Amino acid sequence: ETGVTQSPTHLIKTRGQQVTLRCSSQSGHNTVSWYQQALGQGPQFIFQYYREEENGRGNFPPRFSGLQFPNYSSELNVNALELDDSALYLCASSLSAGDGYTFGSGTRLTVV
Amino acid sequence: KNQVEQSPQSLIILEGKNCTLQCNYTVSPFSNLRWYKQDTGRGPVSLTIMTFSENTKSNGRYTATLDADTKQSSLHITASQLSDSASYICVVSATRNNDMRFGAGTRLTVKP
């Protein structure tokens, strides 16, 4: 079985631009959660998708949006990028919300 | 205030020595507690998961304990190896919303 894969691994964007990060969940997992992890900090919950519907959201502004596809892969979109958006973005999938999570290796986003 | 507090923030030990990492939480109502190991620039990898009724759980050289009354958990690493150098993150889930709360992690460095 494949694990969680994220793309791209690294990305540099300019302030004000938009970015799309992608995540392929582990086979059989229908729940995907996205996290933002600043350097030296623990991950912060952005939102969770369960069977293509948003199933919970953390304290992030609306310019952070997401999508889950019928094959349970997911996207994280961030509009109007700010310098503070620079972080490691992690995707985690699970069989169901609240079940054991498998994390991807993350996408390192740098906003300049 | 973070609902999951970890200590120490960082720790340096010699190869072969044991160490214990601490996690205190205020998340309520409690569902489960996980310990993750995160290598730099990588996604977290699950070490243990404990529910309310479990006091201890082992995974090789890693042993986690949980005291749900005092809301404390510890992760004990025995006979440390250089590859144990990583951040160890305590994650507590509430039964409501299935939201996971992450600690900031303990940065462990094992030196030869």
Side-chain angles (χ1 to χ4, degrees):
Chain A
E1 77 185 9
T2 59
V4 177
T5 57
Q6 292 187 241
S7 62
T9 55
H10 296 82
L11 196 56
I12 299 175
K13 287 286 191 178
T14 303
R15 189 172 51 184
Q17 284 189 311
Q18 178 268 343
V19 69
T20 297
L21 310 182
R22 294 180 174 83
C23 171
S24 293
S25 59
Q26 183 165 319
S27 178
H29 286 188
N30 57 25
T31 302
V32 173
S33 301
W34 285 92
Y35 299 85
Q36 180 195 66
Q37 186 174 22
L39 199 62
Q41 299 295 314
Q44 298 293 316
F45 176 67
I46 303 176
F47 43 57
Q48 181 183 86
Y49 278 84
Y50 171 68
R51 296 194 173 191
E52 303 179 58
E53 297 288 331
E54 189 175 288
N55 185 41
R57 188 178 180 93
N59 188 29
F60 278 81
R63 59 190 185 83
F64 284 78
S65 63
L67 197 61
Q68 187 178 32
F69 299 99
N71 66 356
Y72 302 135
S73 65
S74 177
E75 286 183 355
L76 164 65
N77 299 291
V78 186
N79 294 321
L81 283 167
E82 301 176 0
L83 297 180
D84 286 347
D85 295 334
S86 296
L88 180 69
Y89 287 85
L90 293 165
C91 167
S93 72
S94 62
L95 275 171
S96 63
D99 206 340
Y101 288 80
T102 301
F103 282 84
S105 294
T107 293
R108 171 68 63 185
L109 173 65
T110 303
V111 182
V112 298
Chain B
K1 186 181 188 304
N2 196 1
Q3 294 180 315
V4 180
E5 300 286 345
Q6 290 188 243
S7 62
Q9 188 174 34
S10 62
L11 184 62
I12 301 174
I13 62 174
L14 293 176
E15 186 178 12
K17 298 296 185 182
N18 304 335
C19 67
T20 301
L21 315 179
Q22 300 292 341
C23 174
N24 297 335
Y25 63 91
T26 59
V27 176
S28 180
F30 174 84
S31 175
N32 59 66
L33 185 147
R34 301 177 172 94
W35 282 95
Y36 283 89
K37 177 186 178 185
Q38 186 176 21
D39 293 311
T40 301
R42 308 283 294 179
V45 175
S46 180
L47 296 175
T48 63
I49 177 172
M50 289 184 292
T51 58
F52 184 87
S53 60
E54 296 175 294
N55 300 120
T56 184
K57 183 165 283 189
S58 293
N59 177 4
R61 295 179 296 104
Y62 301 103
T63 299
T65 65
L66 173 65
D67 185 335
D69 291 330
T70 62
K71 298 187 178 180
Q72 296 179 326
S73 175
S74 66
L75 179 69
H76 187 72
I77 305 174
T78 59
S80 62
Q81 301 175 358
L82 298 178
S83 59
D84 292 334
S85 295
S87 287
Y88 290 84
I89 303 176
C90 173
V91 184
V92 183
S93 294
T95 52
R96 186 173 53 240
N97 298 328
N98 297 309
D99 184 10
M100 297 197 298
R101 297 299 171 121
F102 289 73
T106 292
R107 179 68 202 176
L108 175 66
T109 302
V110 180
K111 292 193 170 183

